[in-house]
Amino acid sequence: MSKSVFLPAYTIGADAYAKVPEICSKFGKTVVFIGGKTALEKAAGLVKEAIKGSGLEVLDTIWYGGEATYENVEELKKNPVIQKADMVFGFGGGKALDTCKMLTNDLGKPLFNFPTIASTCASVTSVCVVYYPTHEMKELCWRYAPAEHSFINSQVIADAPVKYLWAGIGDTLAKGYEPEFSARGKELDHSNQMGVTLSVLCQEPLVKYGTKGLEDCKKHVVSSDLEEVILTIIVTTGVVSYYVINDYNSCIAHAIFYGFTTIPEIDETHLHGEIVSYGVLVSLMVDNRKDEINKLLPFYKSIDLPVTYKAFDATPEQIETKVLPKAASVNDIKVAAFPVDINVLRKGINDYEAYVASVKL
Ligand SMILES: [Zn+2]
């Protein structure tokens, strides 16, 4: 069976929007802006400024509807301005861009993405996370390819709340370990070998540039360190996810995350990537990789990522009755280097917590 590969196309820089006329004019003349409210507020004006005098014409600016649902996609499809536009410019983090990906796939229109935060790879991937209108996750679906191009304005991202970049680092670290752990011992085809080999680039640059990059983001300063971090979170993660099968995309770190979502106080007050980053440490203990734990701990400390579940105010009882049963039940751990069950996870958490309590940070 044949397989087509569409790799992300993107521009990064504080002046990334200056490239919009040159790249987008090849696809037509009329544009509709669709996005999240904050994202449109932060970036739409800058894009309008960048396309002044280029011949590109903005027909309208439209809110995406607040959730990545099939219902919102259907609503948008009925909009005559969207039907008329030659292309769509999508503004947002994850959900608005996923909505634009589904919409333009159905309408057969070109899509250009303008990510305004760096917390996921949504702007450069073809996968869309679909939700129910009640905000629960429904399923995944795919655009035929990623957006035609993404314009990653590093100044816009430097001006966004730093917590998104911080949590993005936590989630991306998992991608630095989970694919290799899941795929270990298996015969890999070209695509999976590419993904697994590249996955190490989801952690090394973060450890190297993350502390300074985050500091610069706090000061709203664009630096090469910050851009390395942004590229790792958005592009490297996107490429790895794209190349590996779903079974290799997620493992113990995400299982631990799902475990903690059973405690509403934790789920509501901590970001996805923050909880996942704790799961990374547990997964490394399960895999007996203290060398990697020792490498990550000073980095975690330097940027305040959690190094113990006490950071979430979780109790040993909650770990036993809520976190572990849920974590052991998810599909994420079904494909791994060796069988992972509730006993393996329990030992991982306990051994890790005892270890981190014994080392001087
Ligand atoms: Zn994640």
Side-chain angles (χ1 to χ4, degrees), residues 118-119 157 161-170 213-214 217 226 229-230 233:
S119 58
I157 290 170
V162 72
K163 67 176 180 180
Y164 296 117
L165 190 81
W166 177 69
I169 290 174
L214 205 66
C217 187
L226 176 59
V229 173
I230 295 170
I233 296 172

Side-chain angles (χ1 to χ4, degrees), residues 171 174 178 254 257 272-273 276:
D171 201 22
E178 287 183 314
H254 276 83
F257 160 77
H272 170 85
V276 168

Side-chain angles (χ1 to χ4, degrees), residues 103-338:
L103 174 73
T104 53
N105 201 45
D106 287 0
L107 295 177
K109 288 186 193 284
L111 170 65
F112 298 92
N113 278 338
F114 297 80
T116 51
I117 55 173
S119 58
T120 77
C121 54
S123 59
V124 302
T125 54
S126 51
V127 67
C128 311
V129 186
V130 189
Y131 289 80
Y132 291 104
T134 52
H135 307 292
E136 277 155 84
M137 193 194 147
K138 183 182 171 85
E139 62 189 15
L140 301 179
C141 74
W142 282 264
R143 192 177 190 266
Y144 86 98
E148 276 54 44
H149 202 91
S150 287
F151 296 93
I152 307 167
N153 185 320
S154 35
Q155 187 63 59
V156 167
I157 290 170
D159 289 337
V162 72
K163 67 176 180 180
Y164 296 117
L165 190 81
W166 177 69
I169 290 174
D171 201 22
T172 301
L173 283 170
K175 192 70 80 200
Y177 299 101
E178 287 183 314
E180 188 280 323
F181 182 73
S182 302
R184 196 183 300 161
K186 286 147 192 110
E187 187 66 31
L188 302 180
D189 63 6
H190 173 268
S191 173
N192 282 292
Q193 190 62 63
M194 290 281 279
V196 170
T197 304
L198 289 172
S199 67
V200 67
L201 294 178
C202 290
Q203 45 97 355
E204 278 175 359
L206 294 181
V207 175
K208 192 168 169 192
Y209 304 112
T211 309
K212 170 79 165 39
L214 205 66
E215 249 171 54
D216 293 337
C217 187
K218 265 183 212 158
K219 291 185 267 181
H220 312 300
V221 172
V222 172
S223 64
S224 60
D225 297 74
L226 176 59
E227 289 191 337
E228 290 292 332
V229 173
I230 295 170
L231 285 167
T232 305
I233 296 172
I234 296 182
V235 179
T236 316
T237 311
V239 172
V240 171
S241 311
Y242 185 76
Y243 269 132
V244 301
I245 55 168
N246 214 28
D247 280 345
Y248 301 160
N249 249 323
S250 176
C251 201
I252 293 176
H254 276 83
I256 296 287
F257 160 77
Y258 290 117
F260 279 103
T261 62
T262 59
I263 307 169
E265 310 88 88
I266 294 177
D267 192 34
E268 284 155 22
T269 53
H270 297 275
L271 293 165
H272 170 85
E274 179 188 1
I275 304 175
V276 168
S277 74
Y278 171 73
V280 169
L281 298 170
V282 173
S283 74
L284 289 171
M285 185 54 96
V286 168
D287 199 20
N288 200 18
R289 296 187 66 189
K290 283 204 184 121
D291 53 328
E292 287 295 314
I293 295 178
N294 292 340
K295 181 178 99 181
L296 291 183
L297 283 177
F299 172 58
Y300 274 45
K301 272 299 200 190
S302 77
I303 65 166
D304 263 335
L305 279 174
V307 298
T308 162
Y309 67 67
K310 294 184 193 97
F312 309 135
D313 291 322
T315 63
E317 202 221 331
Q318 285 174 318
I319 297 292
E320 185 55 41
T321 59
K322 298 193 159 196
V323 177
L324 284 170
K326 175 71 183 180
S329 77
V330 296
N331 282 331
D332 303 63
I333 55 169
K334 297 264 156 67
V335 177
F338 45 80

